[in-house]
């Protein structure tokens, strides 16, 4: 089977840095994505890592280690609006087609 | 950026009726669309992969006769919840991926459809 594990909740202070980890077990791995979802809304794309290393997009960075089946999302200069749920998602092709499955999600609360 | 539109946003129906949800990619063609289901405070669960011109691929445990998926064109996929019951009440959300050289790995999501079955 496959699994993606994330911490369920994280609390951080406005202006700080927070790291959300994701470990996965799957076959046919293509890449790891991160999505943000505010309550009641649709997920929005943050980043995608197909290769090992760090990808930086503004205040957000994402890291992947394929050998460790591990990745993380790094949020810098936290703002109150960053309070949301964050999901890692793996793009896999276990058989003849590709699909994207999501992790358990991490609820981030940013406090003043 | 690419836009995916989903309709309706909200639907309330009586038990035993069927509900159709549409998912459209507005500015790109999508040979593949994904349908997810999300319960409150939980993750997105992949229900099926919708393939243009062919049968959908359902995830284990998802009843294909219950959740009918049709992907008749490169811009439209539909999910029909047949004979809906209260336990089918959930947030259903579709997504699509831009194919070809423009593919960045990003999934573009529709706005979601909140189904309530009375």
């Amino acid at each position: 089977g496959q699994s993606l594990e994330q911490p369920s909740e994280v609390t951080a202070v406005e202006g700080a840095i927070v790291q959300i980890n994701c470990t996965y077990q799957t076959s046919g791995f293509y890449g790891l994505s991160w999505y943000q979802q505010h309550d009641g809304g649709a997920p929005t794309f943050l980043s995608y890592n197909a290769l090992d290393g760090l990808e930086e997009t503004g205040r957000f960075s994402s890291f992947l280690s394929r050998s460790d089946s591990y990745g993380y999302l790094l949020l810098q200069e936290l703002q109150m609006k960053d309070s949301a749920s964050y999901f890692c998602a793996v793009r896999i092709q276990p058989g003849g087609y590709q699909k994207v499955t999501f992790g358990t999600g991490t609820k981030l609360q940013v406090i003043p | 950026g690419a836009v995916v539109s989903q309709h309706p946003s909200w639907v309330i129906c009586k038990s035993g009726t069927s509900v159709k949800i549409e998912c459209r990619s507005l500015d790109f063609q999508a040979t593949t669309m994904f349908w997810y289901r999300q319960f409150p405070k939980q993750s997105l669960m992949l229900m099926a992969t919708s393939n243009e011109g062919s049968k959908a691929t359902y995830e284990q445990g998802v009843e294909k006769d219950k959740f009918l998926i049709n992907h008749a064109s490169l811009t439209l996929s539909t999910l029909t919840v047949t004979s809906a019951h209260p336990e089918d009440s959930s947030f259903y959300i579709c997504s699509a991926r831009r194919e070809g050289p423009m593919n960045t790995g990003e999934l573009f999501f529709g706005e979601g459809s909140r189904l309530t079955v009375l």
Side-chain angles (χ1 to χ4, degrees), chain A residues 38-54:
Chain A
H38 286 97
D39 285 346
T44 56
F45 175 79
L46 296 176
S47 68
Y48 176 67
N49 294 66
L51 303 176
D52 287 358
L54 191 68

Side-chain angles (χ1 to χ4, degrees), chain B residues 19-67:
Chain B
V19 174
K20 179 185 283 188
I21 301 169
E22 292 187 348
C23 180
R24 296 181 184 272
S25 55
L26 297 185
D27 58 352
F28 67 100
Q29 294 182 331
T31 57
T32 303
M33 291 184 176
F34 303 96
W35 286 95
Y36 294 87
R37 181 176 182 176
Q38 187 176 33
F39 291 108
K41 302 186 186 304
Q42 294 190 22
S43 184
L44 288 82
M45 183 196 79
L46 180 64
M47 299 175 66
T49 302
S50 172
N51 306 296
E52 188 270 334
S54 65
K55 293 181 180 180
T57 305
Y58 289 83
E59 294 300 301
Q60 190 173 8
V62 178
E63 299 175 60
K64 60 183 179 181
D65 295 330
K66 172 77 172 176
F67 300 99

